[in-house]
Amino acid sequence: MSIAWQNAGVLLTVSTTVRPATDLGFLLHKHPDRAQRFTTAAGPAHVFYPQATEERTTAALLLDIDPVSLVRGRPGSAGRAGGRSGGLGAGAGAATAGVEAHYVDDRPYAASSLLAVALAGVFSTAMAGVCKARPDLAARAIPLEIRIPALPCRGGGGELARRLFAPLGWTVEAVPTPLDPRFPEWGIASHHDVTLTGTVRLADALTQIYVLLPVLDDGKHYYVGPDEADKLVREGARWLGEHPERDLIARRYLAHRRGLASSALARLATVDDVPEDAITTGFEPGLVSADSAPDPAEPGAAPATSPISSTAPTASTAPTAATLATAATLASASTPASASVSEPKPPSLAQSRREAVLGVLRAAGARRVADLGCGDGKLVAELLADVSFTEVIAVDVSHRALELTARRLRLDRMPERVRDRLRLVASSLTYTDARLAGLDAAVLSEVVEHLDPPRLPALAEAVLGAARPRVLVVTTPNVEFNVRYAGLAPGALRHRDHRFEWTRAEFAAWVRGLTETYPYTARVGGVGDADPDLGAPTQLAILERTG
């Protein structure tokens, strides 16, 4: 028998009838009038528009996979990267042996983790919900139809597709396909022609597809480790925790590795484990996406000039610069004069935040400090650079985040005298941990907004009730300032993992509640170049223990 190989194409289409429908090109950052080719880890991907009218526009993603490369399994090829033996992944639970298994492998022809990788590579900006040209459209749900003509639905068929997508608001049509139309007696394949119809935000739709493709296929073409658990928590943060099939999704997405699945589900349940790339430095134009054109300088990108109140805050009155001292003034008491040398361009808002936090810690005479939810480790690095901080504790519930922090700090090359001052601690922020008790200071910088509001009392009890640092520094976005960001859609939050963003009054009310419950006084203010009407882009609170 002779086999005629031809290029395999894995197809996904996205259609909308929003008026004008051609705005889909803006949302996807791909022009409807031209076809584009992209190189991805899974093979060349093509984006083109079979239909582009104001009434209805369809964008197609076609992934070309070389089946010969999959069979050869050469180092660096898709087959090798998947660790597949005989064309079947470990997630499929098969032990097929022999060369003949390669010739029945459906991976080059069916939607799978290969297509998911291409989807994330080609539409990364759309998945992030960023669209400078149509920010209002990116922020709202629009009518969508997504079709995947060859979607494997292993171990459940079309009903499995409905169980996964219907709870997310999709109407699901899953048409089974025969193994071979010429031989109907062979029966039905596990593949379905699936069409999803619904009114969904495009970023959410693409993210759901990205997660659920390998779940339906029940296998991945690459090694599954802790970083994949972090990815599942990040991408599923908004919807997976409440999904009725979350156990099945986690188990299949993580290749049936029970420990990883249990950890991911626990983290989703408490929303404590924020991966390194989910704890952002805040919305900063030009840094949102690699394939986005840079925006003008950020309006909040100025040195820290944080108004700080000397009394406990109230919910009804936001502090003003006219009546309050500044965090910069606090910092100047212990910052060398050389630190005030002007820079050729103003620091980013993220850098301004770190400078404000460091100034507060120095002014308070803190020596033993914990960065709670250390994320990318940048604040930890600056704490270690100052020898006045004799013990620096980097805390995160995500082991992956701590690994990345260690890599950023070059822990393996760190001088012993510096390493002796550093501790990396894996710990949940909503559970008490004796290792964090009795410190001079703790920092929650851009962390609280990543927790669901019902978890905030547990956070407060763990930090202020149990750990009881002498000083606690908190920063969080000021949602009122968001209208000043040209690249941020009206009403949108600064990051897709944020559960909320507070107004100044809401933040003041939360801090006041803390001082009424725990023996602390508080000063509140902001970081960044403040708008006279909207306040500063970042809110800051300093809580000091009284007992």
Side-chain angles (χ1 to χ4, degrees), residues 19-254:
R19 297 293 297 267
T22 49
D23 277 357
L24 182 63
F26 289 107
L27 295 179
L28 293 174
H29 296 260
K30 306 294 181 285
H31 201 288
D33 290 343
R34 59 190 180 96
Q36 295 177 263
R37 183 182 186 276
F38 302 86
T39 300
T40 75
H46 308 268
V47 176
F48 55 95
Y49 288 77
Q51 180 182 18
T53 67
E54 291 195 357
E55 292 74 29
R56 181 181 174 88
T57 294
T58 298
L61 171 64
L62 178 66
L63 177 63
D64 284 338
I65 302 173
D66 182 1
V68 176
S69 293
L70 288 177
V71 171
R72 289 173 178 166
R74 295 175 301 196
S77 70
R80 182 70 174 181
R84 286 192 156 224
S85 174
L88 294 171
T96 305
V99 169
E100 67 278 2
H102 289 295
Y103 295 93
V104 296
D105 189 358
D106 61 0
R107 187 160 292 282
Y109 314 98
S112 66
S113 60
L114 291 168
L115 180 60
V117 167
L119 186 73
V122 174
F123 296 136
S124 59
T125 306
M127 288 177 65
V130 176
C131 181
K132 293 182 294 181
R134 298 290 187 274
D136 57 328
L137 191 61
R140 77 171 195 259
I142 62 175
L144 291 173
E145 180 184 288
I146 298 178
R147 184 186 176 197
I148 310 171
L151 179 59
C153 304
R154 307 187 197 281
E159 180 57 30
L160 176 61
R162 281 183 280 271
R163 285 163 49 198
L164 295 183
F165 285 106
L168 300 174
W170 295 101
T171 298
V172 182
E173 181 184 5
V175 179
T177 57
L179 280 170
D180 191 323
R182 297 171 299 173
F183 303 97
E185 64 273 15
W186 287 6
I188 299 299
S190 61
H191 303 73
H192 288 64
D193 184 346
V194 174
T195 302
L196 308 174
T197 307
T199 302
V200 184
R201 196 170 71 105
L202 180 64
D204 294 334
L206 295 177
T207 300
Q208 292 162 9
I209 295 289
Y210 171 76
V211 171
L212 295 178
L213 281 179
V215 171
L216 285 159
D217 188 32
D218 199 12
K220 287 193 173 182
H221 71 281
Y222 55 86
Y223 174 75
V224 173
D227 56 333
E228 286 298 292
D230 285 344
K231 188 189 301 180
L232 179 63
V233 172
R234 180 177 69 251
E235 304 299 343
R238 288 192 177 276
W239 54 274
L240 183 52
E242 301 300 321
H243 198 293
E245 299 292 346
R246 58 185 174 275
D247 292 344
L248 180 144
I249 293 170
R251 186 170 65 251
R252 286 186 167 214
Y253 186 88
L254 297 170

Side-chain angles (χ1 to χ4, degrees), residues 280-474:
T280 68
T281 57
F283 180 84
E284 298 190 56
L287 299 180
V288 176
S289 174
D291 57 353
S292 299
D295 283 336
E298 175 178 306
T305 55
S306 312
I308 303 295
S309 172
S310 58
T311 59
T314 64
S316 59
T317 305
T320 64
T323 58
L324 306 177
T326 66
T329 303
L330 288 174
S332 65
S334 56
T335 303
S338 61
S340 63
V341 176
S342 61
E343 297 289 338
K345 71 182 213 176
S348 68
L349 179 58
Q351 180 61 37
S352 295
R353 268 197 301 269
R354 291 193 294 272
E355 290 175 359
V357 170
L358 289 166
V360 171
L361 297 176
R362 289 167 181 147
R367 296 292 179 264
R368 303 174 62 232
V369 179
D371 184 8
L372 306 177
C374 62
D376 59 12
K378 290 180 181 176
L379 178 61
V380 174
E382 297 200 28
L383 288 167
L384 286 173
D386 187 336
V387 295
S388 66
F389 299 112
T390 58
E391 183 178 6
V392 178
I393 306 175
V395 183
D396 207 293
V397 73
S398 168
H399 289 272
R400 176 65 173 164
L402 292 175
E403 290 171 4
L404 292 171
T405 296
R407 188 182 308 165
R408 172 184 291 278
L409 298 173
R410 298 184 178 179
L411 194 60
D412 56 335
R413 306 178 192 174
M414 184 179 289
E416 186 174 351
R417 66 182 182 278
V418 179
R419 188 165 56 245
D420 288 345
R421 296 163 49 217
L422 174 66
R423 276 200 291 156
L424 300 177
V425 175
S427 181
S428 168
L429 300 184
T430 57
Y431 293 93
T432 60
D433 190 330
R435 295 172 295 178
L436 305 179
L439 298 174
D440 293 326
V443 178
L444 286 167
S445 184
E446 308 301 287
V447 171
V448 295
E449 64 272 13
H450 291 272
L451 276 68
D452 283 323
R455 302 299 300 173
L456 292 176
L459 171 71
E461 178 59 29
V463 176
L464 299 179
R468 301 182 71 246
R470 179 165 56 84
V471 176
L472 174 66
V473 185
V474 183

